[in-house]
Amino acid sequence: MNASRADRLQTAAWAGVALALIGLFWLLSPILTPFVVAAVFAYICDPAVNWLVARRLPRAAAVLLVISGMGLILITLILVLLPMLYREAMTLARRLPDLVELFNHNVSPLLAARLGIEFQLEASQFRDWMSQHWDSAQDVVPILLGHLKTGGLAFMGFLANLFLIPVVMFYLLQEWPRLIKSLQMAVPRPWLERTTKTLGEVDQVLSEFLRGQLSVMLLLAVFYAIGLSIAGLNFALPVGVITGLLVFIPYVGFGGGLLLAVLAALLQGDGMTPLIGVAVVYGLGQLIESFLLTPYLVGERIGLHPLAVIFALMAFGQLFGFVGVLVALPVSAALLVGLRQVSSAWFSSKLYLGEQGSSK
């Protein structure tokens, strides 16, 4: 068997394995959420664990330290963001009639003059509706707690999954070198060199994208939070952090963050100054992200086009739910490497080159 035919057989075999894994993933998707979340976090945190181990810290202690640090960061974010988001929602509910009047006074005349569209909202109806439902809107937390009591079994399941994530993370990070070695031992010896090379390419694409994108997210969250604070926005911290965390979805992070910032600026009622500040901050943020952070920290060579990222997130979310969203980008990166292998096998085949026909 010549080398090219062996390479094609390897490609076909690994494509079959990938399809089988996708089918198994689809069947088990209802129970996979904590394991997939733990695996994604473990992959991201493995370099930090290796860094601590290289400085003579026992691996178990290094794993505990990294997991504890990540948990502390997440808990701090939740405790800071949730109260601020709740206060902003209450402010929006109180000022909604004023925003309607502002729209009727400033935007409606422009629509009528420029586009010939007569459109106005009834502020009085909003005021009546708010006065009728304001008490129930303020009681949203007790209502949610009541639902948790009636849906206690589902809530207990959620808590079990939540506590399972760090446990699975610990075992994955603790056994990571052994898992890699076991996978290498399971590969047939004639396929080992090419398989190792392919997995190395997958790891390179994943590491460049996930870790680079994480750096971009954190830096942009800091930039937007500080920039919006300088611009005088009252809710600069939650809006900035949310914008940074959503950046991993192309266009959605910037658009959603800008919408939240504009809404928060309107709620302040301080005129055009906060709106101008928001426009400047988000304009600079887009330039910094596009021309500085993304090219240097993520890189163009990963090959994941922004439209491909959006399609992958939507497609995997539709097929596998929340778990699909978590694995969309890693699986897409692996599929990208696989497609490169299949493409290489196709363009070197006799069918494509026409060698079989020319030899007749």
Side-chain angles (χ1 to χ4, degrees):
M1 182 183 296
N2 56 38
S4 61
R5 186 178 178 186
D7 288 345
R8 287 196 293 272
L9 283 175
Q10 288 184 44
T11 301
W14 285 118
V17 171
L19 289 174
L21 288 175
I22 290 173
L24 183 63
F25 182 82
W26 182 73
L27 291 173
L28 297 177
S29 57
I31 64 168
L32 285 181
T33 300
F35 298 94
V36 172
V37 173
V40 172
F41 281 138
Y43 180 81
I44 294 173
C45 294
D46 184 60
V49 173
N50 292 336
W51 185 84
L52 292 172
V53 170
R55 278 140 186 85
R56 300 186 179 181
L57 190 69
R59 189 168 185 90
V63 171
L64 284 174
L65 186 61
V66 170
I67 293 176
S68 300
M70 177 172 280
L72 185 62
I73 292 172
L74 292 176
I75 291 173
T76 302
L77 280 175
I78 291 172
L79 292 178
V80 169
L81 291 179
L82 281 184
M84 290 186 176
L85 290 175
Y86 177 76
R87 288 200 302 270
E88 187 170 1
M90 291 296 101
T91 304
L92 172 62
R94 283 195 301 267
R95 294 215 56 207
L96 190 58
D98 297 331
L99 292 177
V100 171
E101 290 184 351
L102 185 65
F103 176 86
N104 291 337
H105 186 265
N106 294 327
V107 180
S108 291
L110 290 176
L111 292 177
R114 300 292 176 85
L115 302 177
I117 299 175
E118 296 289 342
F119 182 76
Q120 281 200 341
L121 299 172
E122 291 294 333
S124 59
Q125 293 182 1
F126 277 94
R127 292 187 187 278
D128 293 340
W129 184 86
M130 288 302 303
S131 62
Q132 295 173 7
H133 297 86
W134 177 246
D135 291 336
S136 60
Q138 288 184 307
D139 293 336
V140 63
V141 173
I143 291 172
L144 288 176
L145 292 176
H147 282 297
L148 289 180
K149 292 178 182 178
T150 57
L153 190 60
F155 181 64
M156 290 300 295
F158 170 78
L159 286 180
N161 286 336
L162 193 62
F163 285 112
L164 187 59
I165 291 173
V167 175
V168 176
M169 266 189 75
F170 175 83
Y171 285 111
L172 284 176
L173 286 170
Q174 175 72 10
E175 302 295 329
W176 199 272
R178 219 167 292 164
L179 288 172
I180 299 299
K181 189 175 181 180
S182 299
L183 289 174
Q184 289 177 340
M185 292 296 296
V187 177
R189 298 298 92 182
W191 296 6
L192 181 61
E193 182 178 356
R194 189 179 180 202
T195 301
T196 303
K197 180 182 176 183
T198 302
L199 292 178
E201 292 177 5
V202 172
D203 179 68
Q204 183 181 6
V205 172
L206 281 177
S207 60
E208 286 182 0
F209 188 86
L210 291 178
R211 291 162 192 153
Q213 192 65 54
L214 182 63
S215 301
V216 172
M217 290 162 57
L218 293 176
L219 289 173
L220 285 177
V222 172
F223 168 80
Y224 282 116
I226 294 175
L228 293 174
S229 178
I230 294 173
L233 202 69
N234 291 340
F235 296 99
L237 181 60
V239 173
V241 171
I242 290 172
T243 303
L245 295 181
L246 289 178
V247 161
F248 81 96
I249 308 176
Y251 311 119
V252 173
F254 175 80
L258 179 61
L259 183 63
L260 285 174
V262 169
L263 185 60
L266 289 173
L267 291 176
Q268 286 185 208
D270 294 337
M272 294 297 295
T273 303
L275 287 172
I276 295 173
V278 166
V280 172
V281 169
Y282 275 83
L284 287 175
Q286 186 67 10
L287 290 175
I288 292 172
E289 178 189 355
S290 301
F291 295 103
L292 183 63
L293 296 181
T294 299
Y296 283 98
L297 296 178
V298 180
E300 300 294 338
R301 60 186 180 275
I302 59 174
L304 287 174
H305 192 277
L307 290 179
V309 173
I310 295 174
F311 177 79
L313 290 169
M314 294 181 66
F316 279 83
Q318 176 67 28
L319 292 173
F320 306 110
F322 178 69
V323 178
V325 174
L326 291 175
V327 301
L329 297 181
V331 172
S332 298
L335 288 176
L336 177 67
V337 175
L339 287 175
R340 288 173 182 168
Q341 299 285 343
V342 172
S343 175
S344 176
W346 165 249
F347 286 117
S348 63
S349 66
K350 291 182 179 180
L351 180 61
Y352 177 79
L353 295 174
E355 295 176 9
Q356 186 175 6
S358 62
S359 64
K360 289 183 180 179

